[in-house]
Amino acid sequence: MFRGKKYKKVAEAFDRNKAYDLAEAVSILKKSEVKFDQTVEVHFNLGVDPKHSDQVVRGTVVLPNGTGRKVRVLVFCKDNNLEVAKAAGADYAGGADLVQKIQEGWLDFDSVVATPDMMPVISKVAKVLGPRGMMPSPKAGTVTVNVAQTVKELKAGKIQYRVDKGANVHAPVGKLSFSGEQLVENAKSVIDSVVKAKPQSSKGTYIKSLTLSATMAPGIKLDMALTR
């Protein structure tokens, strides 16, 4: 695979076989200079078997310093909640009308919230939202009667994560333009959340590997003992 000069510059700035603490890893990533503000992510490989429902790792966490991007929130609700959602900052709020738009190919939103009474209505687009990780669910806190609080949290930087079929979890922790302290704080919040989400049925090593990366930079191994 072809790698640009800037990618190689970052790759040469650290030992690929060494595990670093968060602050060191962030400092290395900041040497990656491109023309856009890169997203920084943490990547976990977990000692779980996602084929078993009792070992599915998922959760939500509010990043202390936000995600660095504008989050477009869609809320499925009706009656008084329509005004509540809009007042809280929702970009879109409605019911069957929004379902129809999605069926027609509209996907100009990043997060979806629904009140419990709207679940039968949005089941028609579950196959569209599900694969994109946007189908509302009680476990993720996006099926709720507290529409205002949920919308505000999503706008402020609340993210969702879920283990994939390969037992991996990928989560954004901010933009490379953030200060080192902000990125470290956000990353620690995600790591702590994933650690607390460990299934009781998981045996042996839970976090097999942990890396920090940016959009146009290589992944840097993190030392779990130095990230808490």
Side-chain angles (χ1 to χ4, degrees), residues 150-172:
T150 303
V151 170
K152 289 176 181 177
E153 287 179 343
L154 288 169
K155 286 286 188 177
K158 184 177 183 178
I159 63 165
Q160 300 180 41
Y161 59 82
R162 181 186 174 98
V163 68
D164 64 20
K165 293 180 180 179
N168 303 301
V169 169
H170 310 285

Side-chain angles (χ1 to χ4, degrees), residues 100-135:
Q100 183 175 347
K101 284 186 67 175
I102 292 172
Q103 289 175 321
E104 294 171 352
W106 177 68
L107 290 168
D108 295 335
F109 48 87
D110 306 296
S111 296
V112 183
V113 178
T115 51
D117 58 341
M118 295 301 291
M119 293 307 290
V121 177
I122 66 174
S123 62
K124 297 177 182 178
V125 289
K127 291 183 178 179
V128 178
L129 299 178
R132 292 171 172 78
M134 293 192 288
M135 185 65 185

Side-chain angles (χ1 to χ4, degrees), residues 33-166:
E33 300 175 357
V34 294
K35 294 181 180 179
F36 67 95
D37 196 3
Q38 301 178 65
T39 297
V40 179
E41 295 185 328
V42 286
H43 308 275
F44 303 77
N45 180 249
L46 305 178
V48 299
D49 185 352
K51 293 179 182 177
H52 300 288
S53 60
D54 63 348
Q55 291 195 41
V56 172
V57 177
R58 67 183 301 170
T60 61
V61 57
V62 177
L63 301 183
N65 303 295
T67 62
R69 68 185 183 94
K70 181 181 179 181
V71 180
R72 299 165 298 176
V73 180
L74 182 158
V75 180
F76 285 106
C77 59
K78 60 183 179 181
D79 302 330
N80 293 338
N81 277 319
L82 290 169
E83 290 305 318
V84 170
K86 291 175 182 177
D91 297 271
Y92 313 100
D97 55 328
L98 295 179
V99 168
Q100 183 175 347
K101 284 186 67 175
I102 292 172
Q103 289 175 321
E104 294 171 352
W106 177 68
L107 290 168
D108 295 335
F109 48 87
D110 306 296
S111 296
V112 183
V113 178
T115 51
D117 58 341
M118 295 301 291
M119 293 307 290
V121 177
I122 66 174
S123 62
K124 297 177 182 178
V125 289
K127 291 183 178 179
V128 178
L129 299 178
R132 292 171 172 78
M134 293 192 288
M135 185 65 185
S137 75
K139 288 185 178 180
T142 46
V143 174
T144 177
V145 294
N146 197 336
V147 171
Q149 180 181 336
T150 303
V151 170
K152 289 176 181 177
E153 287 179 343
L154 288 169
K155 286 286 188 177
K158 184 177 183 178
I159 63 165
Q160 300 180 41
Y161 59 82
R162 181 186 174 98
V163 68
D164 64 20
K165 293 180 180 179

Side-chain angles (χ1 to χ4, degrees), residues 192-217:
D192 287 345
S193 179
V194 173
V195 168
K196 291 175 182 176
K198 178 182 179 181
Q200 292 185 344
S201 57
S202 174
K203 306 299 180 183
T205 303
Y206 176 50
I207 297 181
K208 291 186 173 182
S209 68
L210 178 63
T211 61
L212 187 75
S213 71
T215 308
M216 300 297 289

